[in-house]
Amino acid sequence: MPFLFASPAGNPYCVPKRQVTAEVILPGQHPLTVKLFLNECAETHGGRERPSDVLNGPIAFIPATDHLGKLILLQRDSVLAVSVAAVEESQADFTLPGEPAPNDVKSVQVEVVLEEGTTIRGIATYLMPEPQRRLQDFLNTADRFLALREDSIMHLVNKRRIAQVRPA
């Protein structure tokens, strides 16, 4: 269903967006189920926009709707974690020339403890150059959110809100 905006003259125009159900953890609150709005085409890669693209992107306030359909603006840096169906985070299966071979991909089972005490477990999968393949190197990349897969769920964890990470 498209997300509608109204122009100043009152003529509506449509910006096509996909609605993706997500569970959001905010400080001091119970998890909140929302709908995030994602573009059909990503700005930084081929394919559809993923929740991680929005969370790692430049905007500070992310639009969503609550269970009543009312608008919520989530302040990205306050979000502790966002959980979505893993299929919403899937990437196209192609390799560009010069990229490392798939056998260079590392997967590490980790336990992440957030600053307010919540523990999230999952598998961190990453592709890093040969001299920088440690978990520590991956955690220190510029992305704000760490993707952890737990079965059919992808947890996107705000790295700025992590107290500790333990390899399982």
Side-chain angles (χ1 to χ4, degrees):
M1 176 160 111
F3 190 63
L4 298 175
F5 294 91
S7 68
N11 295 329
Y13 64 93
C14 181
V15 177
K17 299 276 186 174
R18 290 184 302 119
Q19 292 186 27
V20 174
T21 301
E23 183 176 275
V24 177
I25 300 174
L26 299 169
Q29 297 183 28
H30 293 290
L32 178 65
T33 300
V34 301
K35 298 271 188 192
L36 299 175
F37 299 97
L38 304 176
N39 287 318
E40 287 295 333
C41 296
E43 292 181 20
T44 59
H45 59 81
R48 299 179 345 169
E49 186 174 52
R50 300 180 301 250
S52 60
D53 296 328
V54 173
L55 293 168
N56 288 316
I59 63 171
F61 288 88
I62 299 166
T65 56
D66 65 12
H67 68 285
L68 299 173
K70 295 193 181 223
L71 178 66
I72 301 172
L73 297 172
L74 300 168
Q75 205 292 337
R76 179 190 56 209
D77 292 336
S78 291
V79 171
L80 299 174
V82 174
S83 299
V84 297
V87 68
E88 296 296 343
E89 276 294 312
S90 65
Q91 299 178 13
D93 290 327
F94 65 89
T95 304
L96 296 174
E99 282 189 5
N103 60 350
D104 292 336
V105 173
K106 299 236 353 169
S107 292
V108 180
Q109 178 79 34
V110 295
E111 179 177 275
V112 173
V113 180
L114 301 177
E115 62 190 14
E116 46 61 273
T118 299
T119 299
I120 299 174
R121 293 173 185 82
I123 297 172
T125 302
Y126 56 94
L127 185 58
M128 300 283 287
E130 178 63 45
Q132 300 168 327
R133 290 207 180 133
R134 300 175 302 170
L135 177 59
Q136 176 184 347
D137 298 323
F138 173 62
L139 291 172
N140 284 310
T141 60
D143 284 345
R144 292 173 186 256
F145 283 77
L146 168 66
L148 298 177
R149 185 168 183 147
E150 179 184 31
D151 300 323
S152 64
I153 302 295
M154 187 67 77
H155 303 289
L156 303 167
V157 183
N158 189 338
K159 288 198 265 184
R160 295 177 180 177
R161 307 307 292 265
I162 293 175
Q164 60 182 308
V165 177
R166 296 183 201 137

